[in-house]
Amino acid sequence: MTALAGPSADAFWAASLRRWNAVCWVLFAAMAVGLAAMDRPGGSRYGALALLGCVVLCYALLDRFPGNPVVRPHVYLSVLVLALGGLAYLRSSYAALFMVTLPHYWMFGRTPRASMGFLGLATAATLAGSWWRQGWSLEFFSETVVSTLIVVAVGVLIGLWAHSVVAQSTERARLIVELERTQAELSEAHQRQGAADERERMARDIHDTLAQGFASIVVLAEAARAGLAADPARSAQQLRSIESTARENLAEARELVGSAQRQDGAAAGSVARTLRRILDRFAEDTGLTVAADLADVGCDQQTRIALLRCTQESLANVRKHARASTVGVILTRRPYGVELEVTDDGTGFVPEESAGFGLDGMRKRLAELGGRLTVTSSVGDGTRILAVIQLETQLETPLETQSEAREGIG
C-alpha cells in the first residue's frame, strides 16, 4: 500500500486527531491518577509517572506546536515505544497506555509502512519489558503475549481499513477534480467553437449581403462615370440604383446587427416578393434578361434568409463571372421541402476547381438547416445552382396572408 497524500488525507487525519485529542487528555489524566493512587509505592511509581510524563509532554508539544523542530511525529512515536517498554517492565498500566495510544501510530505514522513499523516496535518493546520482568512463564504467554497480540491485530485491521477508506476518498476527490477540470475545458472549447461559428456566420452574411452590395455600387458608379457625358439619362438611372443599393445595404447592416437579438423564428415577409425585388433590381442594373417562376412558399426566418442569400450569391457570381445574357430563377414547393434553382447561359466553369468563398458559404448555410447545394456546370454550357431545404410540417402551407402583412427585407 502506498503513502497517502493530498488535501483529502490531510483533512481526514487532522479531523481524526482533533477528535481523539479530547479523549487522550482525559485518558492520560485518568492514567496519571491511577498510577499515583493505586500503584505500589516506591521507585516504580515515580518511574512510571516519569515515563507517562515524557509521553504526555511530547504529545502536548506535537499537538500545540506541530511545526516545532524537536518533537516531530516519529520522535513522539519513538518516545512512546520506549515508554511502553519501560511501563511493561515496571508493570504499571502499560496495557492502558498501549490501547489509548493505538490510533496515534496511524495518525502520526502517516503511511501504512511507517505505522506498521512503529506498532511492531511498540509490540516488541512491550513484550520485551514483560519478559524481562516475568521471564518465560505461563502468565507471560497466557496473559501478556495473547492479550497484546489481540490488541495489536485489532489495531492493525482498523488502521488498514482507515487507510483504505482515505485512499478511496482521495482517489474519488482526485477524479472529481479531474472531472471538473475536464468539464471546464469542454465548456471553454464549446464557447470558443460557438464564437468561431458565429464569426463564420457573420462572415457569410457580410459576404452575401454587404460585400455584394458594395461591389454592385462600385460597378454602377464606374458605369455612371463613364457614361456621364454621352448618356446623362442612363447615368442618372445608375445613380438612382446606387442610392437604392446603398439604402438596401444599410437595411442589411441593421438586420445583421439585430439578428443576434431576434429570438423568434417567424418569417419577416414573403420570400417570393422579396426575391422579385432582388431580380428586378438585378435586371435593371445589368440589363440581363431574367425569367422568374416564384411560388409563395411559407418558411421560417432562417430558411427565408438562406434562400435570399443563395439567390444573392448566385446573381453576384453571374454578374462577376458568367458573362450570361439570360438568368432563370425558380422557387418551388416540394413534398420534402423547398427548392431554389438559379440557371444562366454563361460561360460556365468546372465546379471541382472552384475555390471561392461564395459556394462554400452557401453549402454551409444550407447544411446548418439540413439542406444541400448542387452545382452543375461545365465550360461553355452555363451553370445550374440547386438549393434544397427541408421544411417542417407546420410550414407546408403557404403564408400568403401573413406575408402581405409584413414588410420584406432586401
Side-chain angles (χ1 to χ4, degrees):
M1 188 175 292
T2 57
L4 297 178
S8 298
D10 292 340
F12 175 84
W13 292 123
S16 301
L17 190 58
R18 284 194 302 269
R19 287 192 294 267
W20 192 249
N21 274 344
V23 178
C24 280
W25 290 119
V26 174
L27 295 177
F28 282 150
M31 290 175 59
V33 171
L35 288 173
M38 301 175 61
D39 207 359
R40 300 186 305 274
S44 62
R45 172 191 295 178
Y46 299 117
L49 287 173
L51 290 174
L52 180 61
C54 290
V55 172
V56 172
L57 178 62
C58 291
Y59 183 71
L61 288 175
L62 189 60
D63 178 41
R64 296 296 180 180
F65 307 101
N68 75 88
V70 178
V71 180
R72 306 301 298 162
H74 287 183
V75 173
Y76 164 70
L77 294 178
S78 300
V79 171
L80 184 58
V81 168
L82 296 176
L84 284 171
L87 289 174
Y89 174 73
L90 297 175
R91 199 176 184 178
S92 300
S93 303
Y94 73 91
L97 182 62
F98 201 164
M99 289 185 290
V100 167
T101 58
L102 192 60
H104 290 182
Y105 297 99
W106 301 98
M107 292 179 180
F108 295 111
R110 303 306 301 276
T111 68
R113 179 176 297 179
S115 300
M116 293 286 289
F118 278 106
L119 187 56
L121 292 175
T123 304
T126 300
L127 294 177
S130 298
W131 172 79
W132 189 271
R133 175 177 52 82
Q134 296 175 317
W136 300 105
S137 64
L138 181 62
E139 180 184 2
F140 172 73
F141 284 103
S142 62
E143 295 181 5
T144 305
V145 175
V146 173
S147 61
T148 300
L149 292 180
I150 290 176
V151 171
V152 171
V154 173
V156 169
L157 293 176
I158 294 176
L160 293 177
W161 172 82
H163 268 275
S164 175
V165 171
V166 173
Q168 293 177 3
S169 300
T170 303
E171 178 65 14
R172 188 179 299 110
R174 184 186 66 81
L175 293 176
I176 291 175
V177 171
E178 290 184 358
L179 178 60
E180 291 175 347
R181 182 171 61 250
T182 302
Q183 290 176 337
E185 293 175 353
L186 184 60
S187 176
E188 183 179 355
H190 285 167
Q191 291 177 355
R192 289 196 302 267
Q193 184 61 43
D197 292 342
E198 182 63 16
R199 287 194 298 268
E200 183 178 356
R201 185 190 68 80
M202 290 297 295
R204 289 201 306 265
D205 285 340
I206 292 174
H207 175 272
D208 295 344
T209 58
L210 301 183
Q212 304 296 353
F214 289 138
S216 177
I217 289 174
V218 170
V219 172
L220 290 171
E222 291 176 348
R225 183 180 58 186
L228 189 59
D231 192 353
R234 177 64 177 171
S235 297
Q237 176 61 37
Q238 291 168 338
L239 290 175
R240 287 193 295 270
S241 297
I242 290 175
E243 179 183 358
S244 299
T245 304
R247 292 183 184 277
E248 291 171 0
N249 260 26
L250 179 60
E252 291 285 1
R254 289 171 177 168
E255 176 70 18
L256 291 177
V257 172
S259 62
Q261 301 175 350
R262 183 182 296 111
Q263 300 298 325
D264 59 73
S270 168
V271 180
R273 288 194 292 111
T274 305
L275 288 180
R276 174 62 65 183
R277 288 199 299 271
I278 293 175
L279 295 175
D280 290 344
R281 179 60 50 78
F282 176 79
E284 180 181 343
D285 293 343
T286 61
L288 300 181
T289 301
V290 177
D293 182 6
L294 307 176
D296 196 358
V297 298
C299 58
D300 59 22
Q301 178 71 357
Q302 290 183 329
T303 301
R304 178 179 182 274
I305 291 177
L307 294 173
L308 299 182
R309 298 296 181 256
C310 288
T311 302
Q312 290 172 322
E313 175 63 23
S314 299
L315 295 178
N317 289 336
V318 171
R319 183 198 300 265
K320 290 185 294 185
H321 308 297
R323 294 196 294 274
S325 59
T326 303
V327 176
V329 179
I330 300 175
L331 179 65
T332 309
R333 183 69 173 92
R334 300 295 187 187
Y336 50 82
V338 60
E339 285 186 356
L340 173 67
E341 182 183 43
V342 181
T343 59
D344 68 75
D345 59 354
T347 57
F349 66 101
V350 180
E352 292 76 12
E353 298 178 359
S354 175
F357 182 82
L359 292 178
D360 185 61
M362 283 195 286
R363 288 192 180 94
K364 291 182 179 180
R365 186 187 296 278
L366 294 173
E368 291 175 357
L369 301 177
R372 66 182 186 276
L373 181 74
T374 303
V375 180
T376 305
S377 182
S378 60
V379 177
D381 291 333
T383 301
R384 176 178 179 265
I385 303 291
L386 179 63
V388 179
I389 303 177
Q390 295 182 354
L391 295 183
E392 299 294 338
T393 304
Q394 63 269 25
L395 296 175
E396 288 183 0
T397 58
L399 301 181
E400 296 174 357
T401 303
Q402 176 179 313
S403 300
E404 293 296 330
R406 294 179 177 175
E407 181 181 357
I409 66 171

